[in-house]
Amino acid sequence: EKRKESSPRSTSSLSPTLRVSNYTRGSYPIYFNMGKLGASRRPKCIDGSAPICPSDCCDITDSADVVIEKKAAQDKLESEGIEGRDESDIKELLVIGAGPHALSLILRLLEPKADLLSDKDRHIQGEFRSRMRPVSDVYRHVKKLSKGPSHTLKRKKKDMKCSADVEPLTLEEVHKSVLVVDKNGSWLSGWKQNFEALRIKNLRSLMNAHADPYDHRSLEFYAEMIGRGEELVTLPSLCQRDKSFRGPYQVPSTALFHDFHDLLVKGYGIDDIVQKGTVESIDPVQDDQQSDEPIFEVKVNFGLESNDRSTIVKTRRVVCAMGPMFHTGEAFWEATLRKELAGKHYPSDRILHPSEIVPYLKSRDEPQHHDAEPLRRLLIVGGGITSAQLALLAAKSPWCRGVKLIQRSKGIPRHFDVENKWMGPNRGQLLDEFWSLDMPERAGLLKSARLGGSIPPETLEELLRCQSQQHMNLEVQEEVQISDVCWNDDQFHVTLDDGSDVEGYDMIWLATGSENSLDFYSAFSRLREILPVDVVSGLPVLNQNLSWHCPPDREAVEPKWKDKARERLWCMGSLAGLELGPDALNLIGARHGAVRVAKNIRCDMANKPSPII
Ligand SMILES: Cc1cc2nc3c(=O)[nH]c(=O)nc-3n(C[C@H](O)[C@H](O)[C@H](O)COP(=O)(O)OP(=O)(O)OC[C@H]3O[C@@H](n4cnc5c(N)ncnc54)[C@H](O)[C@@H]3O)c2cc1C
């Protein structure tokens, strides 16, 4: 009964302390009514038969009238002394991160006819066309996206009656009580920055991996409908159909993928639920109104500077979708160099670790840096796709005259970062085998399935081609490592362990992969003190639905509110590797995780028991 009270569907029973924010909440329908009014004023699409509206007559952004009306309503509230958004309000859900994993989740919370199949069932379904949704339904869905949320989320009466699933959240509920906080401030902006800085033309994953919650074919159909089918690139050097994978091996272009995801965000009406901010800590506390209920007090810095004042956002549920944090640590030669240069200038800005490379590339693109001295020679260390992409980018750029890429082992040519069989008909069996292992064995499999770094054959070929063209000034050397580095005359003097001559470099970029670890996320420190979790190979042991598992030795001693707090905090992406398998980090993992968490949140918010995963 108490949980029912906390549900957004029973706002009338909110506690008296929340009345002010309750009133604020009550103001939202005004916005929605106005949205509808505005929409009905717009002319109907002039070309009803076009798959996607070809003109701006169905533009889903607000018309000028609606913007003015919204502003007037906002001013009225402010003149009455009520802020449009009260930060002391208790949110129903706070999502940390606005990357592809968080987007997949929010869309699955909203979509009335979401694809909520388990990963195994989804792959079995993919083998039989007859078990999939009719093609016409998928086309209709994509067409609706371009017309905005009132079309995308519209449900027929008959669908509502027969729906045995747990109800989706309404858009109104999401706007009122769900907050997404991200350092970058908008959907997929971190992802887009990476792709732009590295000039990545195509995705590495297949066209059926994306955030659309309705059907795995929607990106493919979208491309066809808007006449951009050629942006689904067939990977030439792969057998399109074999024992472990039944093609097609087609990857979307970056531009197509981004346009489709922009459409999803607008089509579902969630472009304004992301707030720019950094989550500093998550503190679960007992709700003083209902003793068995938890509340999460999440400290968020909404300012641009790290010393800006932080705000406590209260929420009943938290999803952590912060993406991977890769720390390479300090290489042995860095420690030696630091000692040698003690008391002198240490050129830390010339040694870049993985997280520093994209910001450096972005700054090089800024107009004020266009006249900066070009690098005479750059050394890149790493054996994966990113180091290869960086070497090609630098070799082709006007700001670098020469590049050397070194890697510890021989380059592994592979299209995907996990073996192809994980995407084929045996995926279900492989997942079953994975789940039959204990946690340390699962951690071992995660490592072996990803095989460290690998490079798609096309990228490897391009590297070799560029190496053979003298004007590119690109050199690739395999099976070699740095043995010593000195700093002299404004240059690094690097010795490799193959006995070759010492060479000079202006910068060293360490694009070496590394393992993710819960310890790298400072936001979890306070949470882990209050709700300790078992950690295996750096990853948290989660429940099957990706919520925060209780270590067996604490089960008997924890009070009920802590138990519930564990049930209401979920991890997605790389941190969920021990549950989701080797592609937890990737877009396939985004779908896999979003299905589990969305089902769970839908049930919890509707006060229904957790579904069986
Ligand atoms: C260059 C590159 C290319 C890739 N290409 C592919 C591909 O083609 N196919 C594929 O399947 N996978 C690919 N991946 C792997 C994977 O899909 C991506 O890493 C993906 O971005 C992971 O999504 P995510 O939502 O978990 O994390 P992210 O996209 O990293 O999003 C997490 C967000 O959380 C924010 N955040 C983190 N901590 C906080 C905090 N404390 N407070 C507030 N916000 C915070 C971050 O700023 C970020 O915006 C690629 C990865 C990289 C780096």
Side-chain angles (χ1 to χ4, degrees):
E1 194 49 37
K2 275 175 186 163
R3 277 172 80 169
K4 209 171 190 176
E5 278 177 17
S6 70
S7 157
R9 289 147 214 228
S10 53
T11 39
S12 57
S13 59
L14 284 170
S15 63
T17 47
L18 290 175
R19 265 196 203 125
V20 173
S21 39
N22 207 3
Y23 180 76
T24 314
R25 286 172 174 205
S27 68
Y28 277 87
I30 305 174
Y31 290 175
F32 281 89
N33 292 340
M34 287 196 313
K36 268 191 183 161
L37 205 71
S40 65
R41 273 199 207 127
R42 287 184 213 129
K44 278 205 155 171
C45 177
I46 45 168
D47 182 358
S49 63
I52 298 275
C53 177
S55 68
D56 58 1
C57 63
C58 288
D59 188 0
I60 53 181
T61 51
D62 288 332
S63 67
D65 286 356
V66 177
V67 173
I68 292 166
E69 284 173 42
K70 275 187 179 181
K71 174 89 177 66
Q74 181 72 31
D75 290 348
K76 186 167 177 286
L77 284 176
E78 277 169 15
S79 69
E80 287 167 8
I82 299 158
E83 282 180 23
R85 177 177 231 151
D86 182 352
E87 298 299 348
S88 66
D89 191 4
I90 299 183
K91 296 285 166 202
E92 288 300 329
L93 173 65
L94 176 85
V95 180
I96 313 173
H101 289 244
L103 181 61
S104 302
L105 170 70
I106 296 287
L107 297 181
R108 275 190 168 73
L109 288 175
L110 274 169
E111 170 56 52
K113 294 173 93 179
D115 155 25
L116 292 174
L117 287 178
S118 74
D119 219 54
K120 257 176 79 176
D121 289 345
R122 154 71 191 86
H123 269 77
I124 294 169
Q125 187 207 50
E127 293 299 305
F128 303 96
R129 250 171 208 284
S130 56
R131 294 194 195 170
M132 296 182 204
R133 286 185 206 271
V135 167
S136 55
D137 283 4
V138 185
Y139 275 116
R140 204 171 303 122
H141 162 71
V142 177
K143 198 171 164 183
K144 279 183 191 167
L145 285 173
S146 70
K147 297 187 173 175
S150 55
H151 291 261
T152 311
L153 296 169
K154 195 170 174 182
R155 297 169 75 188
K156 289 188 187 146
K157 271 203 183 123
K158 75 172 179 9
D159 291 338
M160 287 191 224
K161 272 188 204 144
C162 2
S163 172
D165 295 333
V166 186
E167 290 290 295
L169 306 196
T170 64
L171 187 58
E172 193 182 343
E173 280 172 331
V174 167
H175 278 249
K176 248 193 317 198
S177 55
V178 176
L179 179 64
V180 181
V181 176
D182 188 285
K183 281 181 194 170
N184 295 301
S186 59
W187 287 113
L188 264 55
S189 52
W191 161 286
K192 286 181 183 171
Q193 276 171 26
N194 282 339
F195 273 71
E196 198 188 320
L198 297 171
R199 311 270 194 277
I200 303 175
K201 286 196 221 110
N202 301 323
L203 264 74
R204 197 179 187 184
S205 48
L206 299 176
M207 62 189 173
N208 59 12
H210 49 71
D212 182 73
Y214 185 77
D215 196 277
H216 63 281
R217 293 161 294 171
S218 50
L219 170 57
E220 179 189 350
F221 288 13
Y222 165 75
E224 281 169 15
M225 284 162 81
I226 56 168
R228 288 169 67 179
E230 80 287 354
E231 289 185 53
L232 300 171
V233 185
T234 303
L235 299 174
S237 51
L238 264 175
C239 168
Q240 290 296 312
R241 212 174 157 84
D242 60 23
K243 206 164 75 227
S244 61
F245 184 79
R246 312 234 173 96
Y249 276 122
Q250 278 176 302
V251 296
S253 75
T254 302
L256 180 72
F257 185 85
H258 290 175
D259 289 348
F260 181 61
H261 284 76
D262 290 347
L263 179 68
L264 287 176
V265 167
K266 285 200 165 179
Y268 280 92
I270 52 162
D271 32 359
D272 54 0
I273 66 165
V274 182
Q275 271 204 22
K276 189 175 175 126
T278 301
V279 169
E280 294 173 337
S281 67
I282 307 165
D283 198 345
V285 296
Q286 191 172 12
D287 184 353
D288 48 12
Q289 308 283 326
Q290 307 163 73
S291 60
D292 286 344
E293 287 288 314
I295 298 253
F296 294 93
E297 294 187 346
V298 180
K299 199 165 153 198
V300 187
N301 188 330
F302 287 110
L304 292 171
E305 304 296 329
S306 59
N307 55 0
D308 275 357
R309 212 163 49 87
S310 302
T311 309
I312 299 292
V313 176
K314 294 185 181 182
T315 176
R316 297 193 187 280
R317 298 167 191 81
V318 179
V319 172
C320 304
M322 290 110 121
M325 304 266 169
F326 294 127
H327 287 218
T328 43
E330 208 174 49
F332 77 91
W333 55 263
E334 280 181 272
T336 317
L337 190 62
R338 203 180 278 280
K339 254 191 217 156
E340 277 171 17
L341 295 177
K344 298 185 198 149
H345 165 69
Y346 180 74
S348 55
D349 56 338
R350 305 275 198 99
I351 304 170
L352 300 189
H353 289 91
S355 60
E356 295 162 336
I357 299 174
V358 166
Y360 173 83
L361 289 172
K362 268 175 65 190
S363 76
R364 279 232 76 127
D365 279 342
E366 286 163 8
Q368 67 266 34
H369 294 122
H370 284 173
D371 297 333
E373 268 298 289
L375 302 175
R376 286 163 295 180
R377 222 162 135 65
L378 164 69
L379 178 65
I380 300 178
V381 185
I385 180 173
T386 305
S387 55
Q389 283 164 336
L390 286 170
L392 287 167
L393 175 73
K396 291 175 190 171
S397 77
W399 47 260
C400 183
R401 295 200 185 127
V403 190
K404 181 161 181 164
L405 169 66
I406 60 167
Q407 46 197 58
R408 195 174 38 187
S409 40
K410 266 209 160 318
I412 304 172
R414 202 165 66 180
H415 276 94
F416 310 109
D417 49 4
V418 293
E419 291 161 280
N420 297 6
K421 63 181 181 184
W422 282 93
M423 278 156 280
N426 295 333
R427 181 177 173 82
Q429 190 192 328
L430 291 167
L431 284 171
D432 277 340
E433 283 164 19
F434 175 72
W435 291 321
S436 71
L437 303 175
D438 64 22
M439 292 299 162
E441 287 169 336
R442 288 188 194 185
L445 193 142
L446 294 184
K447 258 188 212 159
S448 61
R450 292 185 81 88
L451 271 184
S454 61
I455 306 178
E458 289 84 16
T459 313
L460 206 55
E461 269 168 33
E462 197 183 346
L463 264 184
L464 298 177
R465 208 174 40 246
C466 289
Q467 187 175 219
S468 65
Q469 295 167 352
Q470 237 173 13
H471 69 276
M472 295 293 286
N473 223 339
L474 169 70
E475 192 187 339
V476 183
Q477 203 177 338
E478 294 171 319
E479 298 182 286
V480 74
Q481 290 190 76
I482 292 178
S483 60
D484 187 42
V485 177
C486 305
W487 175 251
N488 230 324
D489 293 335
D490 205 33
Q491 267 205 330
F492 294 107
H493 298 270
V494 179
T495 312
L496 301 179
D497 63 1
D498 63 345
S500 55
D501 289 343
V502 176
E503 288 185 286
Y505 297 95
D506 290 331
M507 283 190 98
I508 302 177
W509 293 1
L510 300 169
T512 43
S514 66
E515 302 299 322
N516 194 16
S517 170
L518 191 61
D519 295 340
F520 301 152
Y521 297 75
S522 54
F524 282 116
S525 309
R526 181 84 186 118
L527 175 85
R528 289 173 71 185
E529 277 169 29
I530 301 165
L531 301 176
V533 72
D534 283 337
V535 174
V536 175
S537 288
L539 298 179
V541 174
L542 304 173
N543 292 313
Q544 280 188 341
N545 60 23
L546 310 190
S547 60
W548 203 245
H549 179 71
C550 183
D553 60 329
R554 297 188 61 87
E555 268 167 15
V557 293
E558 280 197 351
K560 208 164 174 188
W561 74 267
K562 285 196 177 181
D563 208 34
K564 270 200 183 159
R566 288 180 183 277
E567 286 170 16
R568 290 187 181 159
L569 182 127
W570 298 265
C571 288
M572 297 186 72
S574 160
L575 283 180
L578 293 175
E579 271 307 317
L580 298 181
D583 42 26
L585 156 94
N586 297 352
L587 296 173
I588 294 193
R591 184 205 168 275
H592 193 174
V595 166
R596 292 188 183 200
V597 179
K599 275 180 169 174
N600 209 234
I601 292 180
R602 281 183 179 205
C603 287
D604 189 42
M605 287 181 71
N607 201 19
K608 292 196 173 162
S610 260
I612 295 159
I613 301 292

